[in-house]
Amino acid sequence: MSASRTDSTPPPPTRSALKSSLAVTLLSVLAPILAVTVLYRHEPFDPASLPIHKLPGTVAAPMQNGRVLGSAEMVGAGQVVGPEDVEHDPASGIIYVGCADGWVKRVKVGESAGDAVVEDWVNTGGRPLGLALGRDGELIVCDAYKGLLNVSKHGTVELLTDEAEGVKFKLTDAVAVATDGTIYFTDASYKYTFGEFIWDILEGRPHGRLLSYDPATKETQVLAQDLYFPNGIALSPNQSFVIFCETVMRRCKRYYINGERKGHIDTFIGGLPGYSDNIRYDGEGHYWIALASGTSVTGDLAFKYPFIRKAAAILERLNRRPAMEKNGGVFQVDSEGKPVAHYYDPQLSLISSGNKIGDYLYCGSLHYPHILRLKLD
Ligand SMILES: *[C@@H]1O[C@H](CO)[C@@H](O)[C@H](O)[C@H]1NC(C)=O
Ligand SMILES: *[C@@H]1O[C@H](CO)[C@@H](O)[C@H](O)[C@H]1NC(C)=O
């Protein structure tokens, strides 16, 4: 035994072997740095500085629940993949969701979350995102790839609009219908499609627009442009303004549609503790803002320094970008934009909507195969 051990002991390294092993070590350290430097230099993607110096500090809600997954239920488990938005028809009790496979599905929740019945209703052939019931029982759908759609109550799909002022929509995102019939909606980007949305976020330039569509004249109007990924829209109960969320800027703005401030824009809430997605009014004095992800040191640095976003873009191209989204959830504010409550979980990411239906909050997302349901009490 001892003899064989002696036999396998390697001979002491010679000088030249030491040298070459040092070279290998150096090379293994330097090569990736060199590669990244070369890639960085030749990477045409050129992110911009964001005007974040103008942003307020992060706000906190007086009520917090940072472990919502412990008590959350799954509705439609396995049958609704990536239900981005959640719309509810109080008359029929039906919940509409737009899924990753192009289906707008109808969900009927029974006694418990587990016995929900899911029906494939209409396939848009694109990617349905924002949903809002119209005045004639139709469902207005923002399809990321197709534009603004009218799905009649019989399931017929009609394109309402897909461009404004000669610029095509590339990422039709969120919609709300006013009591006068006007449809307010957003195009998050005229440059990148839904499948490329991460590039819009990394680039940090305002490619989004706030729009309206008048069903009487069939006219599409640009209400505001140069917006940072406008994602989520809600009308105030008295119809004096529409609120839209700018994901990248962690804020929601107000665009006045009536009264003496008509046409003006101000901030409804800034410094959100995460990246705002859809916003919904609950009819009871509160808005619910979905936060796709909470803030993080890496996220903050990336938004501050374009070179970090450029490095992230290189990693994205190599399919090596680390997932940074966590602490997704929903932020509740009152009618004046004052924080009320924050529901989130370290494990949650890409939460895209929160809709309060009865005593429950129904949450949509970009990737989970279910609707998350939280009991509010
Ligand atoms: C959608 O289509 C239905 C059926 O044709 C119609 O009744 C409804 O008014 C349309 N809605 C809009 C906003 O065009
Ligand atoms: C509409 O509601 C907002 C708060 O949501 C309030 O500040 C505003 O004064 C109201 N406007 C009218 C005309 O009642």
Side-chain angles (χ1 to χ4, degrees):
M1 278 274 285
S2 70
S4 76
R5 193 143 82 212
T6 317
D7 284 346
S8 67
T9 306
T14 62
R15 250 182 113 81
S16 78
L18 262 181
K19 257 192 191 158
S20 77
S21 94
L22 188 70
V24 166
T25 314
L26 261 178
L27 203 69
S28 71
V29 172
L30 286 182
I33 296 177
L34 218 76
V36 168
T37 312
V38 170
L39 282 174
Y40 191 90
R41 285 218 170 166
H42 293 275
E43 174 56 59
F45 186 69
D46 178 32
S49 292
L50 284 158
I52 48 176
H53 53 277
K54 286 190 249 164
L55 296 187
T58 301
V59 297
M63 277 192 290
Q64 307 241 357
N65 180 347
R67 294 272 165 200
V68 295
L69 268 182
S71 56
E73 297 170 289
M74 293 171 196
V75 174
Q79 299 179 77
V80 286
V81 177
E84 202 259 356
D85 200 6
V86 177
E87 174 68 322
H88 176 235
D89 179 3
S92 62
I94 287 173
I95 290 173
Y96 293 88
V97 288
C99 298
D101 53 8
W103 283 102
V104 176
K105 304 202 178 191
R106 296 208 275 206
V107 182
K108 198 111 197 202
V109 185
E111 284 292 301
S112 70
D115 48 50
V117 179
V118 179
E119 175 206 350
D120 291 352
W121 183 45
V122 167
N123 197 306
T124 64
R127 176 37 159 133
L129 298 177
L131 309 171
L133 283 166
R135 293 195 307 172
D136 300 316
E138 76 274 39
L139 187 71
I140 307 297
V141 177
C142 272
D143 188 292
Y145 292 100
K146 307 263 169 172
L148 189 71
L149 307 178
N150 175 7
V151 182
S152 79
K153 56 185 167 204
H154 307 296
T156 320
V157 182
E158 174 200 4
L159 175 70
L160 296 177
T161 175
D162 63 358
E163 65 153 357
E165 294 181 354
V167 180
K168 273 226 167 206
F169 311 152
K170 219 152 186 190
L171 216 173
T172 325
D173 201 326
V175 61
V177 181
T179 48
D180 71 0
T182 308
I183 300 171
Y184 293 91
F185 66 106
T186 62
D187 181 38
S189 178
Y190 63 77
K191 183 165 179 184
Y192 296 99
T193 67
F194 175 71
E196 305 159 336
F197 80 84
I198 188 67
W199 294 95
D200 200 277
I201 307 274
L202 293 175
E203 185 176 328
R205 286 191 182 82
H207 301 127
R209 294 186 290 173
L210 172 68
L211 305 129
S212 69
Y213 174 82
D214 181 346
T217 62
K218 300 191 187 300
E219 235 177 86
T220 308
Q221 225 189 311
V222 177
L223 304 177
Q225 53 194 11
D226 299 333
L227 306 177
Y228 289 92
F229 211 86
N231 187 346
I233 191 160
L235 275 143
S236 75
N238 65 10
Q239 312 283 296
S240 63
F241 50 80
V242 287
I243 300 171
F244 60 92
C245 307
E246 285 180 292
T247 304
V248 176
M249 303 301 268
R250 295 200 275 121
R251 71 183 172 204
C252 304
K253 289 200 154 189
R254 236 179 329 212
Y255 176 90
Y256 291 85
I257 54 174
N258 284 308
E260 51 191 61
R261 304 212 61 199
K262 188 172 171 173
H264 281 82
I265 296 178
D266 64 12
T267 299
F268 179 64
I269 181 168
L272 284 163
Y275 299 94
S276 41
D277 201 312
N278 281 307
I279 178 169
R280 280 188 169 268
Y281 183 69
D282 63 8
E284 299 165 5
H286 295 113
Y287 295 93
W288 299 81
I289 305 163
L291 301 179
S293 167
T295 50
S296 65
V297 175
T298 5
D300 287 352
L301 286 174
F303 282 102
K304 206 159 171 190
Y305 301 109
F307 79 88
I308 296 183
R309 278 181 275 127
K310 182 163 173 171
I314 292 170
L315 293 175
E316 177 71 24
R317 255 196 239 293
L318 300 172
N319 242 323
R320 291 275 193 281
R321 189 178 60 86
M324 292 186 303
E325 299 88 0
K326 59 173 186 178
N327 287 318
V330 183
F331 199 79
Q332 181 192 14
V333 301
D334 72 11
S335 59
E336 306 297 327
K338 274 227 306 282
V340 175
H342 187 186
Y343 301 88
Y344 63 101
D345 197 284
Q347 303 278 321
L348 281 179
S349 65
L350 301 181
I351 293 296
S352 51
S353 55
N355 189 346
K356 182 177 182 292
I357 305 170
D359 295 331
Y360 291 98
L361 187 64
Y362 286 76
C363 302
S365 80
L366 278 183
H367 58 174
Y368 297 119
H370 49 257
I371 306 166
L372 265 187
R373 187 171 92 156
L374 313 176
K375 182 99 200 260
L376 296 170
D377 45 26

